[in-house]
Amino acid sequence: MLSTLKELSICFEFSLKEILNQNNKINIYNEVSKNIITTSSREEFGDYQSSICLVLSKRLKKNPRDIALEFISFLTNNSKFSLLCEDIKIAGPGFLNIRIKKEILIEQLIFRQNCKRAGIPLTSNNNKIIVDFSSPNIAKEMHVGHLRSTIIGDSISRLFELRGYEVLRLNHVGDWGTQFGMLITHLKDVFPDFLNGANKINIGDLVEFYKISKQRFDNDSDFQNRSRSEVVKLQSGNEESISAWKLLCNQSREEFNVIYKLLNIKIEERGESFYNRFLRNIVEELSNKNLLTEDQGAKCVFLDEMKNKEGNALPLIVQKSDGGYNYATTDLAAIKYRLNEHPNGDNANKIIYVTDHGQANHFSAVFEVAKKANWIPHNCQVQHVPFGLVQGIDGKKLKTREGKTIRLKDLLKEAVKRAKEDLSNRLVSENRNESENFIEHTSNVIGIGAVKYADLSQNRITNYQFSFEKMLALNGNTAPYLLYTLVRISGINRKNNSRLETNDSKNISYEHDAEWNLIKKLLKFDEIILSIENDLMPNRLCNYLFELCQTFNRFYDKLPILKESKYKKLSRLILCALTEKTLKLSLGILGIETLERM
């Protein structure tokens, strides 16, 4: 079953073509047909509205209200439109306001309740989408800066998976580069028998290990020279150097996995090292296509599409003056491999990169070079999904009191700890006795869920201020508020002794505004999901869920459910059931576990 918005869009598109044909303007159809109808911004305007008549007014040189009359004439002669709509009215200078028939709303309500996916359509294509997210660096601990990439990337992946796409979640780990020369050299100095001592190093030590090796590299010329020599050995495949590199990577990986387990993140690691074998060919191919220019010994692609303040084309360096490669070279190799330009490539149709907005220019340059090299097929897309910084409540970069970067592991543990304290205090005030397992599990779900939701509920492009107090509150646009609403529905289910039958639509009816408001909000779910698929803004879903919970709680507070007559009870239980299903599916997209009690 198509969504109401999709059905209406088809009717409006047909009418638009008729009007344009009459006015010999069919050539502008593609320009004016985007977002031809939208959900009404206010209830009194109806269920849907369109400003197409205002858009056409200038093009056709006609009064928009006259165009609106033409539109209504075509629409009301359309049997599909007449079946869906109760009325259509002209408002203001020429807006069209539409109300849907209540029997159609009930029909869609029942369909969605009987559908496991609550009406979310499966995609009709078999496109493969790669989501590149998280991307920590070996020998460095994951910090709060990795939080947004990990959570946003996971949520985007979950949404595409729900829609039926094949999704490859990739962790482009920083596991290669010149820094490994100093790390391996320091490892050999400190643990000369390191091949037998892997268990002597843990991630906490390894972070400090990195700092010490960097200090030595900056201040000790002999160490510096040995480190550079070690890079050459590593790149040439020296067995001992490779073993040391693997040891360092494995130690970091173990700690990364602790974080991913806490966040319930599934991701496939494919580090920078994976693309090393392709880098020389990347440079050779760019050279053969006459895209490279040598500048001060470095090989660059100058991009007219990206210019500095003086108006000069900016370069993307793909090979340094010393012959080494950099992030850009690796990212170009990754694009080519992922879009199946290599025999064993990923054969993806779309690549989404989730990183902070500070890397926007880098990816713009990389994408431009890939386009010039014809590595992006016409039916494929590469997209950077930027996000802002996580700040403290003072509006500054989030740090510890000592001014150090907050470790992500510590932040998550603190969230769970505070959730446990809040829960324990509430249990005491309510005189409730719960098992330790219940308290631990509930605290973990609330704490981790609160951190995720606090991030995802923000416009990802902007910075946001991190506050444990706000994100753990039971009121407001928070995960605990959504979970509390879900728990409220679970309580209704536990008290209900009858079986929920939704097949007999003739006996399902609604009379109160609180019921219709909830119905209309529930039926917007698929529209929200499809809009996020286009703009990749998970905060749209969070805003919708907050409004849905508010609408449900008003319905719950105003109207009895289990103490009503048989068919009124059934009708309202259907609303509860679809609200529950919508919340669970949505929280699943956000990567938040659900609860039946809290």
Side-chain angles (χ1 to χ4, degrees), residues 128 130 168 268 270 274-275 277-278 334 336-348:
K128 183 176 185 178
I130 290 176
L168 176 57
E268 179 178 323
R270 189 189 289 171
F274 178 87
Y275 302 100
R277 52 189 161 149
F278 306 127
K336 189 174 182 184
Y337 186 88
R338 291 168 177 182
L339 296 176
N340 205 23
E341 285 294 315
H342 288 282
N344 298 315
D346 295 311
N347 196 26

Side-chain angles (χ1 to χ4, degrees), residues 66-101:
D66 292 338
I67 298 173
L69 289 172
E70 291 183 60
F71 241 102
I72 290 175
S73 176
F74 281 114
L75 287 168
T76 52
N77 285 326
N78 185 314
S79 58
K80 172 61 74 173
F81 183 84
S82 299
L83 179 67
L84 288 172
C85 296
E86 184 176 284
D87 64 26
I88 179 170
K89 293 179 179 178
I90 304 172
F95 291 102
L96 293 174
N97 292 338
I98 304 105
R99 288 195 184 277
I100 305 300
K101 289 180 178 178

Side-chain angles (χ1 to χ4, degrees), residues 91 104 123 144 208 227 261 265 285 292 324 348 353 363 403 425 458 460 534 564 588:
I104 296 297
T123 180
V144 71
E208 187 63 26
S227 296
K261 186 176 181 180
I265 302 293
E285 186 171 344
L292 286 184
Y353 297 82
F363 280 108
N425 291 336
Q458 307 297 317
R460 61 170 168 76
N534 290 325
E564 272 290 5

Side-chain angles (χ1 to χ4, degrees), residues 485-495 580 595-596:
T485 303
L486 196 52
V487 165
R488 174 172 269 183
I489 298 173
S490 296
I492 295 170
N493 293 338
R494 286 193 296 272
K495 294 175 185 176
E580 179 183 39
L595 296 166
E596 292 193 358

